[in-house]
Amino acid sequence: EAYDMTVLRLSVIIFLVVVAAGYALLTIKIIQERSLAWLIGGCVLAIFATFYITQFLNLGGWSANYNVARWEKDRTRTLDTGYLYSLGAEACPALDRLHEINPVIPVVNDEENRGALNTASVDEDKFDTVHWREFSLRAWMNRGALEDKPHN
């Protein structure tokens, strides 16, 4: 309950949509007596479309905004700020909004929180060699987001 919406849960939802699309294609193949090549081509196209579309989605930002919005409606709920900080730069708008509502929660630009929020950014020369397994297009594009924000 504390995590409400997570990036992993959003990913599972996307996976289930792809599985449902596969079952729909299988049903169409059976009813319309299509070929196996048509079914495989449709499934490959569905997977490619899913990968292409999801690279532009801000799953971490959606997750953070959803969790903060739910907390705003019912402040007796548990809000895991540690998880929100672990989402990196994508969660900055939600964390800033959370700090405006409850100043006790640390602001994003505090020096003590910068380490937790910089998990998505690495040094330019180390980016391709040390953290190659953690590469994502959104993290690469947002590397400087925290450094560009004015300090409060």
Side-chain angles (χ1 to χ4, degrees), residues 6-151:
T6 63
V7 174
L8 185 59
R9 288 181 182 170
L10 288 171
S11 300
V12 167
I13 291 169
I14 292 168
F15 171 75
L16 291 175
V17 167
V18 171
V19 169
Y23 280 127
L25 289 170
L26 182 61
T27 303
I28 292 170
K29 180 212 179 296
I30 292 170
I31 291 173
Q32 295 183 355
E33 298 178 2
R34 302 271 181 138
S35 67
L36 182 62
W38 178 87
L39 177 63
I40 292 172
C43 289
V44 167
L45 183 63
I47 291 170
F48 176 76
T50 302
F51 284 148
Y52 183 76
I53 291 169
T54 55
Q55 76 176 339
F56 298 110
L57 298 180
N58 183 3
L59 298 180
W62 288 355
S63 174
N65 285 327
Y66 177 84
N67 292 339
V68 170
R70 296 257 329 228
W71 180 82
E72 285 176 336
K73 290 180 184 175
D74 181 13
R75 299 210 179 158
T76 61
R77 296 178 64 84
T78 304
L79 183 65
D80 187 5
T81 54
Y83 174 72
L84 296 178
Y85 281 113
S86 73
L87 292 175
E90 296 175 341
C92 285
L95 286 168
D96 288 341
R97 193 171 82 232
L98 185 62
H99 177 71
E100 290 173 9
I101 296 168
N102 188 357
V104 174
I105 296 172
V107 72
V108 171
N109 286 331
D110 283 350
E111 290 301 320
E112 62 219 30
N113 296 323
R114 187 170 296 279
L117 289 169
N118 270 341
T119 56
S121 67
V122 294
D123 293 335
E124 187 75 35
D125 58 337
K126 296 179 183 177
F127 186 72
D128 291 327
T129 57
V130 176
H131 298 284
W132 65 271
R133 293 173 295 179
E134 299 175 7
F135 178 80
S136 71
L137 179 62
R138 180 165 301 283
W140 180 75
M141 290 171 35
N142 289 332
R143 277 189 291 168
L146 292 174
E147 286 78 21
D148 293 342
K149 290 185 74 161
H151 293 281

